Amino acid sequence: MAGQISQRFIDDLLARTDIVDVISERVQLKKSGRNHSGLCPFHQENSPSFTVSHDKQFYHCFGCSAHGNALRFLMEFDNLRFPEAVEQLASRAGMEVEREGGEDPGARQRQQKREEGVNLLELASRFFRERLALGGGRQAREYLDRRGLSQEIIRDFGIGYAEDEWESLKRYLLEQGISEAVQVEYGLLVHREETGRTYDRFRDRVIFPIRDWKGRTIAFGGRVMGDAKPKYLNSPETPVFHKGRELYGLFEARQANRQLARVLVVEGYMDVVALAQFGIRNACATLGTALTTDHLQRLFRLVDEVVFCFDGDNAGRQAARRSLQTALPSMIDGRQVRFLFLPEGEDPDTLIRQEGQEAFENRVTCASPLSEFLFEQAAEGHDLKQVEGRERFVTAVLETLKRLPEGVLKSLLVRELSVRSGIEQSHFIDWLATHAESLPRQATTPDVGGYEALMAVAESEETASDPGARVDKRQHSARSRAFPASRSGTATLSLSIPARILHLLLHEPGLAEGLPETLEWCPTEVPDGRLCREVVQLLRAGRYRSPQVLLAHFHGSADGERLDQLARRELAIPREVRASELDNWVRYLERESERLSPVEEYRQLLEKSRQPGALGSEEKQRLRALIGQLATGGSGSP
């Protein structure tokens, strides 16, 4: 092993990593205000209590108190040691792990090369901005002025200019100590193998820096000012830039809108910048590639609504169809995709200059929802007045629907297809079940959001007065979703009421404050009754709010094993009704204690009397009365 991992490397690695990206590859997350939430992967639950903060680069579970940064998550989730987690995160970021000392002779060289790469792209961006402001950038400034861009927009997007020279940037970076090899590796120089010559990739172009989620430059796009080809030129794939994952303008959109609700996806750099110039600051663009699942996942981590903007010609319609197919597997409940088709021959840049901001925003607001575009493109070319045409239409829609994840949207589309075709929707449900497509796995825990979550709340309200009935219904619900009962966390039928109370208190210890002052409601002769009393007494004495602290008190004992077993069970009760659930259970136990037969009450008090000082004066009197009553053969209350 070549020495310890450098702390500076770890800091840089975490700075280059977006924790939301890392966790969402393993856990299905949904945007919730400034944060993201989902089902905790470290304990079983039905109601999301797992939160990931994009701003703080930190995760925390309010159910089990798991928390940490991206490295800690990999260690816990993938069961990795710290060095292995660093290696995995570094591999994901395209970095080599840097170690201090040891026997690694290349460590210093790799460190130097990495530091060069970190500084290189920012230096290049600064160089391009400076050249725009100098005399050689006059033509570029005039071009931007003709496009109507203000100095504010040019500054916000960091727009620059690459001079019409072969080695201008190369010389500048060499003076800054950046080797040609590193410049080639990060896409700024082109290397001709036949001659060995290197020269600037970007020449005589307006330069648009492409930034990551933290605002660091990771690549560049260059646009010609005349009719030369190619019109747009992007950086190649590098250790820090992957076209299929990045979106131009997304960082700037987030800077302008801290509470983004909708993102507009357009085609080119100038479309994004022109829209921003006219006050539309929520646009971004793919980087010369078709829309990918990675693009969509990144967008849906920020917003719930994505609007795709296409030209109205055949090429635009074809691109829209491809985007529809890409989007379908990501359309879990709560997400929305719409399609905006512009007049033929127009793009966002030209159209907004003609119509202005308000008219363009009205077009966005009226864009076709996914459902409408789906049915429209399935009907294209088919005569729906004929049986054969309707058959092809139905088949096309079903082939599309099988790519959708289960949820409310899919159910509504099946119902709509039934209305449009006149065929019973049960036939479609059977067809989809038979032809189910294996979708990419997006999460390690089942998605119980949307309709299922609403049903769980409805069941809890409907059966709140009957704990036994509620358990039966929840267990049936778990079976109906084809999840094992123990996996779903709803198999509490085998638990006594005190055990259910323990289960709830382990997840939310603060609820102990609402329990009755005396513990007479909790019978000690039933399973887990004694332990329940001890836990309540401990919570009151220590005012603990952490389940881990509570479990530590019983560590190494049989009671500790029982509590640990209960803590691992998923809690299916929504947070907002947990206090009322606890109250229902306590009142249930109180009613049960009142209905004890004289023999049962006698046995209960007798068992309690074997513990020195356990019986109070009233209980002693009650025990003597029961003895007299049972001795004379009475069965009613004395």
Side-chain angles (χ1 to χ4, degrees):
M1 183 65 68
Q4 292 186 341
I5 299 174
S6 161
Q7 182 60 50
R8 181 167 51 182
F9 174 81
I10 295 171
D11 293 340
D12 186 31
L13 178 62
L14 290 174
R16 287 172 175 246
T17 301
D18 184 355
I19 192 171
V20 178
D21 286 344
V22 174
I23 294 181
S24 63
E25 290 171 358
R26 296 160 173 81
V27 179
Q28 186 167 284
L29 298 178
K30 184 176 181 180
K31 189 77 166 61
S32 178
R34 294 179 66 88
N35 299 323
H36 298 74
S37 64
L39 298 177
C40 179
F42 303 118
H43 79 285
Q44 295 179 349
E45 61 177 3
N46 278 348
S47 299
S49 61
F50 184 74
T51 298
V52 185
S53 171
H54 185 282
D55 295 333
K56 298 178 181 178
Q57 289 295 295
F58 199 78
Y59 70 88
H60 179 78
C61 176
F62 293 95
C64 68
S65 297
H67 64 278
N69 58 22
L71 282 173
R72 176 67 177 270
F73 180 84
L74 289 180
M75 292 170 66
E76 296 291 334
F77 188 90
D78 292 343
N79 196 26
L80 302 176
R81 293 182 301 109
F82 178 74
E84 295 169 339
V86 173
E87 291 279 2
Q88 186 173 128
L89 207 58
S91 175
R92 186 180 180 280
M95 301 169 66
E96 286 191 64
V97 176
E98 172 192 321
R99 299 181 182 273
E100 295 176 338
E103 301 176 358
D104 186 359
R108 185 182 299 276
Q109 182 180 358
R110 287 197 301 271
Q111 176 188 346
Q112 181 180 355
K113 182 179 178 183
R114 181 180 58 80
E115 290 177 348
E116 288 177 345
V118 169
N119 297 324
L120 168 64
L121 296 169
E122 286 299 339
L123 285 172
S125 184
R126 185 175 68 185
F127 174 82
F128 291 137
R129 291 196 301 271
E130 290 174 349
R131 291 305 179 271
L132 178 64
L134 297 177
R138 181 179 58 82
Q139 184 182 357
R141 293 195 301 273
E142 291 175 351
Y143 169 81
L144 296 175
D145 186 57
R146 289 196 303 272
R147 303 302 294 262
L149 299 187
S150 66
Q151 289 302 310
E152 178 187 3
I153 291 296
I154 293 173
R155 180 201 65 214
D156 289 351
F157 284 85
I159 298 173
Y161 171 64
E163 297 176 299
D164 190 14
E165 296 184 17
W166 288 95
E167 297 185 344
S168 176
L169 176 63
K170 173 183 171 180
R171 288 194 302 270
Y172 170 78
L173 293 175
L174 286 173
E175 291 172 0
Q176 306 302 314
I178 308 296
S179 68
E180 288 188 42
V182 174
Q183 293 184 51
V184 170
E185 182 180 11
Y186 284 83
L188 296 177
L189 296 184
V190 175
H191 177 251
R192 290 290 187 188
E193 292 187 2
E194 59 272 19
T195 63
R197 179 191 172 193
T198 59
Y199 54 87
D200 291 355
R201 179 178 299 275
F202 300 103
R203 303 180 308 281
D204 195 24
R205 289 175 181 264
V206 174
I207 298 296
F208 300 86
I210 301 166
R211 294 159 167 167
D212 67 7
W213 66 274
K214 274 195 168 184
R216 297 168 301 188
T217 302
I218 55 175
F220 296 98
R223 190 195 192 284
V224 297
M225 293 168 284
D227 298 325
K229 301 294 182 181
K231 183 177 180 180
Y232 287 103
L233 180 64
N234 292 324
S235 293
E237 298 275 318
T238 71
V240 296
F241 176 58
H242 307 284
K243 294 180 183 179
R245 294 176 57 187
E246 304 298 337
L247 291 154
Y248 174 74
L250 193 56
F251 167 76
E252 289 79 6
R254 294 193 66 218
Q255 290 297 106
N257 305 272
R258 285 299 182 180
Q259 297 295 329
L260 270 178
R262 170 197 292 165
V263 168
L264 178 64
V265 181
V266 294
E267 183 179 358
Y269 305 111
M270 280 305 303
D271 291 329
V272 174
V273 175
L275 290 173
Q277 180 65 57
F278 281 80
I280 298 178
R281 299 296 298 263
N282 63 335
C284 65
T286 55
L287 298 166
T289 64
L291 181 77
T292 68
T293 301
D294 284 337
H295 287 144
L296 270 175
Q297 291 303 317
R298 177 157 293 188
L299 289 170
F300 279 132
R301 289 177 206 130
L302 299 176
V303 297
D304 292 327
E305 180 183 354
V306 177
V307 181
F308 297 114
C309 184
F310 298 99
D311 294 342
D313 56 15
N314 289 333
R317 306 289 294 191
Q318 185 62 35
R321 283 190 282 269
R322 289 195 299 268
S323 296
L324 171 66
Q325 295 301 317
T326 302
L328 288 170
S330 300
M331 295 305 298
I332 62 175
D333 291 341
R335 294 175 175 177
Q336 186 176 6
V337 161
R338 292 192 289 128
F339 297 84
L340 171 61
F341 294 98
L342 303 182
E344 191 164 353
E346 302 287 355
D347 57 32
D349 181 12
T350 60
L351 192 59
I352 197 168
R353 297 177 193 280
Q354 297 174 22
E355 297 184 339
Q357 177 184 356
E358 184 177 356
F360 192 89
E361 287 182 334
N362 288 338
R363 287 182 179 271
V364 175
T365 302
C366 297
S368 299
L370 178 144
S371 56
E372 182 179 323
F373 179 62
L374 186 154
F375 285 117
E376 178 188 320
Q377 63 95 23
E380 193 172 316
H382 303 309
D383 184 355
L384 300 188
K385 295 180 181 179
Q386 297 183 355
V387 172
E388 292 81 2
R390 288 202 302 275
E391 180 273 327
R392 292 187 181 94
F393 164 73
V394 168
T395 300
V397 173
L398 289 174
E399 286 292 339
T400 301
L401 291 184
K402 74 180 184 180
R403 305 198 68 222
L404 271 175
E406 296 300 325
V408 175
L409 176 61
K410 188 171 186 176
S411 299
L412 291 174
L413 288 173
V414 169
R415 183 184 303 173
E416 180 65 18
L417 179 60
S418 175
V419 172
R420 296 192 182 206
S421 65
I423 301 173
E424 289 290 335
Q425 67 182 73
S426 58
H427 296 298
F428 301 146
I429 294 173
D430 292 341
W431 188 94
L432 289 169
T434 304
H435 298 78
E437 184 170 306
S438 179
L439 298 177
R441 191 179 180 190
Q442 295 185 358
T444 59
T445 53
D447 176 25
V448 292
Y451 180 74
E452 290 288 354
L454 293 173
M455 290 302 295
V457 174
E459 287 176 4
S460 69
E461 294 172 348
E462 177 185 355
T463 60
S465 61
D466 187 348
R470 178 171 52 255
V471 171
D472 282 335
K473 285 196 174 187
R474 284 180 180 161
Q475 191 174 40
H476 172 74
S477 177
R479 286 194 298 267
S480 70
R481 291 197 302 267
F483 299 143
S486 59
R487 176 80 170 119
S488 72
T490 57
T492 57
L493 187 61
S494 61
L495 295 181
S496 66
I497 296 297
R500 298 179 204 175
I501 293 173
L502 276 172
H503 183 214
L504 184 54
L505 292 177
L506 283 166
H507 284 271
E508 197 162 342
L511 291 176
E513 293 182 357
L515 292 171
E517 289 189 13
T518 67
L519 295 176
E520 300 307 315
W521 53 268
C522 185
T524 57
E525 72 280 359
V526 301
D528 296 306
R530 175 195 57 79
L531 181 57
C532 183
R533 286 195 174 199
E534 290 187 24
V535 167
V536 172
Q537 289 172 333
L538 183 61
L539 288 174
R540 285 174 171 169
R543 297 184 180 274
Y544 299 124
R545 292 295 181 270
S546 170
Q548 280 72 24
V549 175
L550 178 62
L551 291 170
H553 277 274
F554 295 91
H555 182 70
S557 66
D559 287 344
E561 292 180 5
R562 175 57 174 162
L563 290 174
D564 188 57
Q565 181 185 43
L566 291 171
R568 286 197 299 269
R569 282 177 175 257
E570 184 178 1
L571 184 61
I573 306 171
R575 188 177 297 275
E576 62 271 14
V577 298
R578 290 177 184 176
S580 62
E581 292 281 85
L582 181 60
D583 185 56
N584 287 336
W585 284 334
V586 171
R587 285 191 283 109
Y588 178 84
L589 289 174
E590 289 175 336
R591 291 195 303 270
E592 286 299 302
S593 66
E594 293 172 359
R595 289 197 289 265
L596 287 176
S597 68
V599 173
E600 291 170 331
E601 191 176 359
Y602 164 75
R603 288 175 178 170
Q604 185 181 108
L605 289 172
L606 184 64
E607 175 67 25
K608 187 174 181 180
S609 69
R610 291 170 182 167
Q611 302 175 16
L615 289 182
S617 58
E618 292 183 1
E619 290 175 317
K620 290 178 181 179
Q621 291 178 9
R622 178 62 177 160
L623 179 59
R624 286 194 292 269
L626 286 170
I627 291 173
Q629 177 185 346
L630 295 173
T632 59
S635 58
S637 299

